[in-house]
Amino acid sequence: MKLSFIFATAISSFFVSSATGFGFSTQAYALTFPGISSATWGEPTPGSANTEPLYTGVGSNTFTWGEPDLPTGLPNRLTFNGTSFSADINSVFKIADLIYFNGTVFSGTSVESVPLNLNVSFSPPVGISQVFDFKLGLINTLNDATDPENSADFVYIDTNLSNQNFTFEGNNYTLELTGFNPDVPQISIKALEGATTTTAVYAKIKAVPEPTAVAGLSLLGIYLISRKNSWRRNTKSIKM
């Protein structure tokens, strides 16, 4: 069935209005976000397998877990060191360094995940500071004396909690932890038994489109489809 001229005109007018608003919001895509990061670790989740969890460092940037199997041994350790940055929209940038030491600890004394409270202070013109809540999962494997690779432990970013929003000048943005590699997806790192892995942590800031702009684009699609169908019908009538 044909859309009436009045209805089509209303759609066109609404789209123009929405697109105008969207044009103003696209200024958000041209911003650069300079700032500095820091972080503290939260209260970990032991998991059902760890009946006697042992940990330290809640509220600081260094977190340890597990009871060493020797008096001179060391527990597992994560140290999160923030850094300064300058981030363009939709570009991957370094937001911190992570130092991961894999200690030898007794079974049942570890934890399976730990919250990361990432504090980001944006410099002017943004000039806001916000804490973003993320979580790192910890995979503590049983040691294999015959194969060092099988004894490696892992740390990974929980992607279910790795997207957080903030607002600046009426526009919404998302800060996402993208992983440990700026070029390819990599959300986990490993450390061999008794070894240390140091890596950069990368992030991305994305603009979130306004609902009115999305609605305007949807109505444009409806309007263009109706015009295309009308043109086809008119063309067939002329040929007949």
Side-chain angles (χ1 to χ4, degrees):
M1 144 176 144
K2 283 188 179 179
L3 287 174
S4 70
F5 175 76
I6 295 176
F7 183 57
T9 303
I11 291 177
S12 178
S13 299
F14 183 83
F15 170 72
V16 170
S17 175
S18 298
T20 302
F22 182 70
F24 286 117
S25 68
T26 56
Q27 296 175 4
Y29 291 87
L31 283 174
T32 296
F33 289 84
I36 189 169
S37 68
S38 62
T40 59
W41 300 103
E43 191 71 27
T45 299
S48 58
N50 297 300
T51 56
E52 297 179 353
L54 184 66
Y55 55 87
T56 67
V58 174
S60 74
N61 73 318
T62 298
F63 179 75
T64 72
W65 70 100
E67 181 182 355
D69 67 343
L70 295 173
T72 57
L74 296 173
N76 301 300
R77 183 175 66 249
L78 279 175
T79 300
F80 192 97
N81 291 322
T83 186
S84 59
F85 60 83
S86 181
D88 294 329
I89 295 294
N90 293 325
S91 296
V92 175
F93 64 97
K94 176 182 172 180
I95 197 168
D97 288 301
L98 185 68
I99 304 172
Y100 173 37
F101 172 74
N102 181 6
T104 303
V105 301
F106 286 115
S107 178
T109 65
S110 295
V111 298
E112 70 175 20
S113 66
V114 59
L116 176 68
N117 306 313
L118 177 61
N119 181 55
V120 178
S121 296
F122 293 108
S123 305
V126 181
I128 62 175
S129 182
Q130 183 168 325
V131 176
F132 300 89
D133 298 323
F134 299 105
K135 184 168 68 174
L136 299 186
L138 311 172
I139 300 177
N140 306 284
T141 62
L142 293 177
N143 293 334
D144 184 347
T146 63
D147 189 345
E149 286 292 333
N150 288 339
S151 300
D153 289 353
F154 296 83
V155 172
Y156 66 92
I157 298 172
D158 188 337
T159 55
N160 291 324
L161 298 174
S162 61
N163 294 303
Q164 299 290 334
N165 296 331
F166 67 98
T167 302
F168 172 61
E169 290 189 345
N171 294 305
N172 296 320
Y173 301 88
T174 295
L175 175 67
E176 172 187 355
L177 292 186
T178 61
F180 305 106
N181 190 312
D183 302 316
V184 297
Q186 181 189 341
I187 63 169
S188 68
I189 56 171
K190 71 176 182 179
L192 299 177
E193 196 71 17
T196 299
T197 295
T198 301
T199 183
V201 181
Y202 295 93
K204 179 188 289 187
I205 295 175
K206 299 187 294 186
V208 180
E210 297 177 1
T212 54
V214 175
L217 291 174
S218 298
L219 286 173
L220 174 67
I222 296 172
Y223 173 66
L224 291 179
I225 290 172
S226 69
R227 289 296 298 272
K228 182 178 180 181
N229 291 339
S230 177
W231 178 83
R232 285 179 175 175
R233 286 192 293 269
N234 291 337
T235 300
K236 288 181 180 179
S237 299
I238 293 172
K239 288 182 178 178
M240 291 176 62

